[in-house]
Amino acid sequence: QVQLVESGGGSVQAGGTLKLACAASGYTVNSGCMAWFRQAPGNEREWVAALDSAGYPDYSDSVKRRFTVSRGNANNTLYLQMRNLKLEDTAMYYCAADRGLWYRNDCWSSKKTRAYWGQGTQVTVSS
């Protein structure tokens, strides 16, 4: 059974940093196609970043050059390092994973259906 558990959310001032983690069980992070999404109240879920099975990342324009997605193979965890946080980054953040191996756009696509989801971790950015 695959389980994804996010952590690392919290409250931070604009310009600050946070690092989210997504610990996986029943799933191999270092070869998986995984992604981060977020959803703010009243908004649709938004794709944020993804890491394909070869470890190549892609980012939405809204977070490019501020967020970094990576994986820790030793602890089977996906990370999202967030820098220079803005008020509009406030949302519930979710990690998601896919079955099988997916590369480049086949993994990165914001429209791709994801097989597994975590429960989310809240990020709140204040001025």
Side-chain angles (χ1 to χ4, degrees):
Q1 181 180 357
V2 174
Q3 192 173 17
L4 304 175
V5 180
E6 300 96 334
S7 62
S11 297
V12 63
Q13 287 194 318
T17 64
L18 279 175
K19 187 173 184 177
L20 306 184
C22 173
S25 59
Y27 186 87
T28 303
V29 169
N30 76 341
S31 60
C33 163
M34 300 187 73
W36 287 97
F37 290 78
R38 65 187 181 187
Q39 188 167 20
N43 289 2
E44 292 187 354
R45 187 171 61 198
E46 176 190 9
W47 177 85
V48 175
L51 198 65
D52 78 357
S53 293
Y56 292 106
D58 195 25
Y59 303 92
S60 68
D61 288 343
S62 62
V63 307
K64 201 169 288 185
R65 291 180 292 279
R66 297 190 299 122
F67 290 12
T68 303
V69 61
S70 64
R71 57 195 185 195
N73 296 338
N75 55 7
N76 209 37
T77 299
L78 182 75
Y79 298 101
L80 185 69
Q81 175 71 58
M82 306 186 293
R83 299 179 177 86
N84 190 21
L85 283 160
K86 303 178 179 181
L87 298 180
E88 53 264 39
D89 294 320
T90 295
M92 184 72 80
Y93 283 70
Y94 301 89
C95 74
D98 283 288
R99 300 185 187 94
L101 304 178
W102 298 92
Y103 300 97
R104 303 283 184 167
N105 289 335
D106 289 338
C107 173
W108 297 334
S109 172
S110 61
K111 296 179 175 59
K112 180 175 175 54
T113 300
R114 310 290 170 167
Y116 310 108
W117 291 85
Q119 83 291 346
T121 186
Q122 177 68 38
V123 171
T124 303
V125 184
S126 60
S127 59

